[in-house]
Structure formats: C-alpha cells, structure tokens
Amino acid sequence: MSIYTPAVARYFEAWNATDPDALAKAVAAAWTEDGTYTDPLADVRGHEQIAAVVQAAHEQFPGFEFRQTGDADGNHHIARFSWELVSTADGSAPVAGSDVITLSEDGRITSVLGFLDRLPEA
C-alpha cells in the first residue's frame, strides 16, 4: 500500500461525513490544522472552513456521496486522483473532478488543489 492510499481514504471519509461531529473529526484526521482546500468555488484554510465547504456541498447535493474513480498515484508527498459525486438513489454522477493533494510528514493533507471536470447543466 502506498502512502497515498490512507490519506485519500481519510479525504473521502471527510467529504462523505454528514453529521457535524463526525465531519469535524474526519476533517481533523485528514488535514493538518492549517491545511488548505482550493477549487474553482472555494479557497479556504483550517478545519472549520474546510468543514463548512463540505457541509455546503451536502446541502447543495443531498443524498449524494463522493466516490474515488481509479487509483491515486503520486510522487514524493504529492498525489492525484479523480472522483465523482454520485446519487445514492439512482447512481447518477452529475459532478466529477480531479484533485491534487500535498501531504505532511504525518500523512495528513496540507493542501488540496481541486479541479471540476464535469458539472450539471444550469
């Protein structure tokens, strides 16, 4: 198992947490205290702001979960992977993207650079 596998698993655990307490714990397990998350819709730092972005995604897409597509690959302390936002009701995936993460020495995320590859039509 690569060093990226557990980090990416914690990342998806955080993105799929809907209970506020579980979300706070999952974000703390996945990111360093001053970790960042940047994508076309957000540019935040720290556990509280990251959790707020995750919560907003669940409010916009209730009944959806984030799923990794393919394997993560990387070098040094940088990894990349792709994902989809999938409806648990019908399996549709209106949103997809790719993320690049940088890991700290303890394996937690210091930064995420997210790219949206597919969005729902307006």
PDB file of all heavy atoms in Angstrom, residues 22-48:
ATOM      1  N   ALA A  22     -19.052  14.091  13.330  1.00  0.00           N
ATOM      2  CA  ALA A  22     -18.267  13.162  12.516  1.00  0.00           C
ATOM      3  C   ALA A  22     -17.463  13.926  11.467  1.00  0.00           C
ATOM      4  O   ALA A  22     -16.306  13.587  11.193  1.00  0.00           O
ATOM      5  CB  ALA A  22     -19.176  12.128  11.850  1.00  0.00           C
ATOM      6  N   LEU A  23     -18.062  14.973  10.905  1.00  0.00           N
ATOM      7  CA  LEU A  23     -17.366  15.787   9.913  1.00  0.00           C
ATOM      8  C   LEU A  23     -16.156  16.476  10.531  1.00  0.00           C
ATOM      9  O   LEU A  23     -15.062  16.449   9.971  1.00  0.00           O
ATOM     10  CB  LEU A  23     -18.328  16.812   9.309  1.00  0.00           C
ATOM     11  CG  LEU A  23     -17.722  17.828   8.346  1.00  0.00           C
ATOM     12  CD1 LEU A  23     -17.003  17.161   7.180  1.00  0.00           C
ATOM     13  CD2 LEU A  23     -18.814  18.781   7.853  1.00  0.00           C
ATOM     14  N   ALA A  24     -16.329  17.070  11.700  1.00  0.00           N
ATOM     15  CA  ALA A  24     -15.210  17.746  12.364  1.00  0.00           C
ATOM     16  C   ALA A  24     -14.072  16.779  12.650  1.00  0.00           C
ATOM     17  O   ALA A  24     -12.899  17.096  12.415  1.00  0.00           O
ATOM     18  CB  ALA A  24     -15.692  18.405  13.657  1.00  0.00           C
ATOM     19  N   LYS A  25     -14.398  15.588  13.133  1.00  0.00           N
ATOM     20  CA  LYS A  25     -13.368  14.582  13.419  1.00  0.00           C
ATOM     21  C   LYS A  25     -12.686  14.101  12.148  1.00  0.00           C
ATOM     22  O   LYS A  25     -11.465  13.923  12.113  1.00  0.00           O
ATOM     23  CB  LYS A  25     -13.976  13.405  14.175  1.00  0.00           C
ATOM     24  CG  LYS A  25     -14.359  13.731  15.592  1.00  0.00           C
ATOM     25  CD  LYS A  25     -15.018  12.558  16.280  1.00  0.00           C
ATOM     26  CE  LYS A  25     -15.501  12.953  17.669  1.00  0.00           C
ATOM     27  NZ  LYS A  25     -16.244  11.888  18.335  1.00  0.00           N
ATOM     28  N   ALA A  26     -13.462  13.891  11.097  1.00  0.00           N
ATOM     29  CA  ALA A  26     -12.894  13.395   9.841  1.00  0.00           C
ATOM     30  C   ALA A  26     -11.984  14.440   9.192  1.00  0.00           C
ATOM     31  O   ALA A  26     -10.920  14.096   8.665  1.00  0.00           O
ATOM     32  CB  ALA A  26     -14.008  12.979   8.893  1.00  0.00           C
ATOM     33  N   VAL A  27     -12.391  15.705   9.240  1.00  0.00           N
ATOM     34  CA  VAL A  27     -11.553  16.769   8.688  1.00  0.00           C
ATOM     35  C   VAL A  27     -10.248  16.869   9.479  1.00  0.00           C
ATOM     36  O   VAL A  27      -9.159  16.985   8.902  1.00  0.00           O
ATOM     37  CB  VAL A  27     -12.303  18.121   8.653  1.00  0.00           C
ATOM     38  CG1 VAL A  27     -11.354  19.280   8.394  1.00  0.00           C
ATOM     39  CG2 VAL A  27     -13.404  18.083   7.602  1.00  0.00           C
ATOM     40  N   ALA A  28     -10.316  16.784  10.794  1.00  0.00           N
ATOM     41  CA  ALA A  28      -9.107  16.843  11.621  1.00  0.00           C
ATOM     42  C   ALA A  28      -8.185  15.656  11.351  1.00  0.00           C
ATOM     43  O   ALA A  28      -6.961  15.797  11.403  1.00  0.00           O
ATOM     44  CB  ALA A  28      -9.485  16.901  13.097  1.00  0.00           C
ATOM     45  N   ALA A  29      -8.761  14.498  11.063  1.00  0.00           N
ATOM     46  CA  ALA A  29      -7.944  13.324  10.759  1.00  0.00           C
ATOM     47  C   ALA A  29      -7.298  13.424   9.385  1.00  0.00           C
ATOM     48  O   ALA A  29      -6.200  12.911   9.171  1.00  0.00           O
ATOM     49  CB  ALA A  29      -8.798  12.056  10.845  1.00  0.00           C
ATOM     50  N   ALA A  30      -7.966  14.100   8.453  1.00  0.00           N
ATOM     51  CA  ALA A  30      -7.473  14.155   7.077  1.00  0.00           C
ATOM     52  C   ALA A  30      -6.510  15.316   6.829  1.00  0.00           C
ATOM     53  O   ALA A  30      -5.546  15.166   6.077  1.00  0.00           O
ATOM     54  CB  ALA A  30      -8.651  14.250   6.108  1.00  0.00           C
ATOM     55  N   TRP A  31      -6.759  16.483   7.430  1.00  0.00           N
ATOM     56  CA  TRP A  31      -5.980  17.689   7.153  1.00  0.00           C
ATOM     57  C   TRP A  31      -5.166  18.123   8.365  1.00  0.00           C
ATOM     58  O   TRP A  31      -5.593  17.963   9.507  1.00  0.00           O
ATOM     59  CB  TRP A  31      -6.910  18.854   6.824  1.00  0.00           C
ATOM     60  CG  TRP A  31      -7.307  19.017   5.401  1.00  0.00           C
ATOM     61  CD1 TRP A  31      -6.654  19.749   4.444  1.00  0.00           C
ATOM     62  CD2 TRP A  31      -8.464  18.482   4.755  1.00  0.00           C
ATOM     63  NE1 TRP A  31      -7.348  19.688   3.262  1.00  0.00           N
ATOM     64  CE2 TRP A  31      -8.462  18.914   3.424  1.00  0.00           C
ATOM     65  CE3 TRP A  31      -9.514  17.665   5.193  1.00  0.00           C
ATOM     66  CZ2 TRP A  31      -9.450  18.573   2.525  1.00  0.00           C
ATOM     67  CZ3 TRP A  31     -10.504  17.313   4.299  1.00  0.00           C
ATOM     68  CH2 TRP A  31     -10.465  17.758   2.976  1.00  0.00           C
ATOM     69  N   THR A  32      -4.041  18.772   8.116  1.00  0.00           N
ATOM     70  CA  THR A  32      -3.306  19.451   9.170  1.00  0.00           C
ATOM     71  C   THR A  32      -4.147  20.649   9.619  1.00  0.00           C
ATOM     72  O   THR A  32      -5.059  21.079   8.902  1.00  0.00           O
ATOM     73  CB  THR A  32      -1.920  19.938   8.684  1.00  0.00           C
ATOM     74  OG1 THR A  32      -2.109  20.821   7.573  1.00  0.00           O
ATOM     75  CG2 THR A  32      -1.024  18.769   8.292  1.00  0.00           C
ATOM     76  N   GLU A  33      -3.837  21.209  10.784  1.00  0.00           N
ATOM     77  CA  GLU A  33      -4.631  22.310  11.330  1.00  0.00           C
ATOM     78  C   GLU A  33      -4.689  23.505  10.397  1.00  0.00           C
ATOM     79  O   GLU A  33      -5.702  24.198  10.324  1.00  0.00           O
ATOM     80  CB  GLU A  33      -4.106  22.727  12.698  1.00  0.00           C
ATOM     81  CG  GLU A  33      -4.388  21.699  13.767  1.00  0.00           C
ATOM     82  CD  GLU A  33      -3.883  22.121  15.132  1.00  0.00           C
ATOM     83  OE1 GLU A  33      -3.591  23.313  15.325  1.00  0.00           O
ATOM     84  OE2 GLU A  33      -3.802  21.246  16.000  1.00  0.00           O
ATOM     85  N   ASP A  34      -3.599  23.773   9.684  1.00  0.00           N
ATOM     86  CA  ASP A  34      -3.571  24.919   8.772  1.00  0.00           C
ATOM     87  C   ASP A  34      -3.712  24.477   7.314  1.00  0.00           C
ATOM     88  O   ASP A  34      -3.366  25.214   6.397  1.00  0.00           O
ATOM     89  CB  ASP A  34      -2.292  25.738   8.967  1.00  0.00           C
ATOM     90  CG  ASP A  34      -1.037  24.938   8.640  1.00  0.00           C
ATOM     91  OD1 ASP A  34      -1.107  23.685   8.564  1.00  0.00           O
ATOM     92  OD2 ASP A  34       0.023  25.566   8.457  1.00  0.00           O
ATOM     93  N   GLY A  35      -4.253  23.277   7.107  1.00  0.00           N
ATOM     94  CA  GLY A  35      -4.434  22.754   5.759  1.00  0.00           C
ATOM     95  C   GLY A  35      -5.361  23.638   4.932  1.00  0.00           C
ATOM     96  O   GLY A  35      -6.195  24.371   5.460  1.00  0.00           O
ATOM     97  N   THR A  36      -5.203  23.539   3.616  1.00  0.00           N
ATOM     98  CA  THR A  36      -5.999  24.366   2.708  1.00  0.00           C
ATOM     99  C   THR A  36      -6.779  23.492   1.734  1.00  0.00           C
ATOM    100  O   THR A  36      -6.418  22.343   1.466  1.00  0.00           O
ATOM    101  CB  THR A  36      -5.111  25.330   1.904  1.00  0.00           C
ATOM    102  OG1 THR A  36      -4.206  24.583   1.090  1.00  0.00           O
ATOM    103  CG2 THR A  36      -4.337  26.266   2.819  1.00  0.00           C
ATOM    104  N   TYR A  37      -7.837  24.082   1.197  1.00  0.00           N
ATOM    105  CA  TYR A  37      -8.631  23.465   0.141  1.00  0.00           C
ATOM    106  C   TYR A  37      -8.966  24.559  -0.865  1.00  0.00           C
ATOM    107  O   TYR A  37      -9.553  25.589  -0.499  1.00  0.00           O
ATOM    108  CB  TYR A  37      -9.927  22.851   0.686  1.00  0.00           C
ATOM    109  CG  TYR A  37     -10.765  22.279  -0.425  1.00  0.00           C
ATOM    110  CD1 TYR A  37     -10.525  20.996  -0.901  1.00  0.00           C
ATOM    111  CD2 TYR A  37     -11.745  23.033  -1.043  1.00  0.00           C
ATOM    112  CE1 TYR A  37     -11.251  20.486  -1.966  1.00  0.00           C
ATOM    113  CE2 TYR A  37     -12.476  22.526  -2.100  1.00  0.00           C
ATOM    114  CZ  TYR A  37     -12.218  21.255  -2.561  1.00  0.00           C
ATOM    115  OH  TYR A  37     -12.929  20.752  -3.620  1.00  0.00           O
ATOM    116  N   THR A  38      -8.578  24.349  -2.121  1.00  0.00           N
ATOM    117  CA  THR A  38      -8.818  25.323  -3.172  1.00  0.00           C
ATOM    118  C   THR A  38      -9.391  24.615  -4.386  1.00  0.00           C
ATOM    119  O   THR A  38      -8.831  23.615  -4.843  1.00  0.00           O
ATOM    120  CB  THR A  38      -7.504  26.042  -3.571  1.00  0.00           C
ATOM    121  OG1 THR A  38      -6.936  26.634  -2.405  1.00  0.00           O
ATOM    122  CG2 THR A  38      -7.751  27.103  -4.621  1.00  0.00           C
ATOM    123  N   ASP A  39     -10.520  25.116  -4.867  1.00  0.00           N
ATOM    124  CA  ASP A  39     -11.083  24.664  -6.136  1.00  0.00           C
ATOM    125  C   ASP A  39     -11.729  25.885  -6.786  1.00  0.00           C
ATOM    126  O   ASP A  39     -11.629  26.990  -6.241  1.00  0.00           O
ATOM    127  CB  ASP A  39     -12.044  23.474  -5.944  1.00  0.00           C
ATOM    128  CG  ASP A  39     -13.367  23.812  -5.291  1.00  0.00           C
ATOM    129  OD1 ASP A  39     -13.717  25.002  -5.142  1.00  0.00           O
ATOM    130  OD2 ASP A  39     -14.081  22.867  -4.916  1.00  0.00           O
ATOM    131  N   PRO A  40     -12.379  25.755  -7.946  1.00  0.00           N
ATOM    132  CA  PRO A  40     -12.951  26.935  -8.584  1.00  0.00           C
ATOM    133  C   PRO A  40     -14.023  27.656  -7.746  1.00  0.00           C
ATOM    134  O   PRO A  40     -14.305  28.831  -7.991  1.00  0.00           O
ATOM    135  CB  PRO A  40     -13.573  26.384  -9.868  1.00  0.00           C
ATOM    136  CG  PRO A  40     -12.759  25.174 -10.180  1.00  0.00           C
ATOM    137  CD  PRO A  40     -12.437  24.578  -8.840  1.00  0.00           C
ATOM    138  N   LEU A  41     -14.596  26.978  -6.758  1.00  0.00           N
ATOM    139  CA  LEU A  41     -15.674  27.564  -5.961  1.00  0.00           C
ATOM    140  C   LEU A  41     -15.264  27.945  -4.545  1.00  0.00           C
ATOM    141  O   LEU A  41     -16.036  28.589  -3.844  1.00  0.00           O
ATOM    142  CB  LEU A  41     -16.848  26.578  -5.895  1.00  0.00           C
ATOM    143  CG  LEU A  41     -17.371  26.078  -7.240  1.00  0.00           C
ATOM    144  CD1 LEU A  41     -18.407  24.981  -7.036  1.00  0.00           C
ATOM    145  CD2 LEU A  41     -17.919  27.228  -8.054  1.00  0.00           C
ATOM    146  N   ALA A  42     -14.091  27.529  -4.106  1.00  0.00           N
ATOM    147  CA  ALA A  42     -13.687  27.757  -2.710  1.00  0.00           C
ATOM    148  C   ALA A  42     -12.179  27.929  -2.607  1.00  0.00           C
ATOM    149  O   ALA A  42     -11.419  27.366  -3.405  1.00  0.00           O
ATOM    150  CB  ALA A  42     -14.122  26.581  -1.845  1.00  0.00           C
ATOM    151  N   ASP A  43     -11.767  28.698  -1.619  1.00  0.00           N
ATOM    152  CA  ASP A  43     -10.350  28.855  -1.285  1.00  0.00           C
ATOM    153  C   ASP A  43     -10.305  29.083   0.219  1.00  0.00           C
ATOM    154  O   ASP A  43     -10.487  30.219   0.689  1.00  0.00           O
ATOM    155  CB  ASP A  43      -9.741  30.022  -2.057  1.00  0.00           C
ATOM    156  CG  ASP A  43      -8.245  30.134  -1.861  1.00  0.00           C
ATOM    157  OD1 ASP A  43      -7.632  29.218  -1.260  1.00  0.00           O
ATOM    158  OD2 ASP A  43      -7.669  31.142  -2.311  1.00  0.00           O
ATOM    159  N   VAL A  44     -10.140  27.999   0.988  1.00  0.00           N
ATOM    160  CA  VAL A  44     -10.266  28.072   2.437  1.00  0.00           C
ATOM    161  C   VAL A  44      -9.052  27.467   3.133  1.00  0.00           C
ATOM    162  O   VAL A  44      -8.297  26.694   2.537  1.00  0.00           O
ATOM    163  CB  VAL A  44     -11.563  27.385   2.916  1.00  0.00           C
ATOM    164  CG1 VAL A  44     -12.793  28.086   2.339  1.00  0.00           C
ATOM    165  CG2 VAL A  44     -11.582  25.907   2.559  1.00  0.00           C
ATOM    166  N   ARG A  45      -8.931  27.805   4.427  1.00  0.00           N
ATOM    167  CA  ARG A  45      -7.828  27.310   5.254  1.00  0.00           C
ATOM    168  C   ARG A  45      -8.370  26.937   6.624  1.00  0.00           C
ATOM    169  O   ARG A  45      -9.203  27.641   7.189  1.00  0.00           O
ATOM    170  CB  ARG A  45      -6.766  28.389   5.414  1.00  0.00           C
ATOM    171  CG  ARG A  45      -5.618  28.010   6.353  1.00  0.00           C
ATOM    172  CD  ARG A  45      -4.594  29.114   6.469  1.00  0.00           C
ATOM    173  NE  ARG A  45      -3.974  29.426   5.197  1.00  0.00           N
ATOM    174  CZ  ARG A  45      -2.921  28.766   4.679  1.00  0.00           C
ATOM    175  NH1 ARG A  45      -2.388  27.766   5.345  1.00  0.00           N
ATOM    176  NH2 ARG A  45      -2.416  29.121   3.520  1.00  0.00           N
ATOM    177  N   GLY A  46      -7.883  25.825   7.155  1.00  0.00           N
ATOM    178  CA  GLY A  46      -8.229  25.410   8.507  1.00  0.00           C
ATOM    179  C   GLY A  46      -9.427  24.486   8.550  1.00  0.00           C
ATOM    180  O   GLY A  46     -10.248  24.446   7.636  1.00  0.00           O
ATOM    181  N   HIS A  47      -9.498  23.743   9.640  1.00  0.00           N
ATOM    182  CA  HIS A  47     -10.524  22.718   9.786  1.00  0.00           C
ATOM    183  C   HIS A  47     -11.941  23.258   9.681  1.00  0.00           C
ATOM    184  O   HIS A  47     -12.795  22.661   9.007  1.00  0.00           O
ATOM    185  CB  HIS A  47     -10.341  21.980  11.108  1.00  0.00           C
ATOM    186  CG  HIS A  47      -9.101  21.154  11.159  1.00  0.00           C
ATOM    187  ND1 HIS A  47      -8.641  20.600  12.327  1.00  0.00           N
ATOM    188  CD2 HIS A  47      -8.224  20.775  10.200  1.00  0.00           C
ATOM    189  CE1 HIS A  47      -7.535  19.914  12.080  1.00  0.00           C
ATOM    190  NE2 HIS A  47      -7.258  20.017  10.795  1.00  0.00           N
ATOM    191  N   GLU A  48     -12.231  24.368  10.339  1.00  0.00           N
ATOM    192  CA  GLU A  48     -13.606  24.886  10.340  1.00  0.00           C
ATOM    193  C   GLU A  48     -14.053  25.302   8.946  1.00  0.00           C
ATOM    194  O   GLU A  48     -15.174  25.016   8.532  1.00  0.00           O
ATOM    195  CB  GLU A  48     -13.736  26.055  11.312  1.00  0.00           C
ATOM    196  CG  GLU A  48     -13.748  25.630  12.763  1.00  0.00           C
ATOM    197  CD  GLU A  48     -13.991  26.800  13.708  1.00  0.00           C
ATOM    198  OE1 GLU A  48     -14.539  27.835  13.263  1.00  0.00           O
ATOM    199  OE2 GLU A  48     -13.632  26.669  14.890  1.00  0.00           O
TER     200      GLU A  48
END
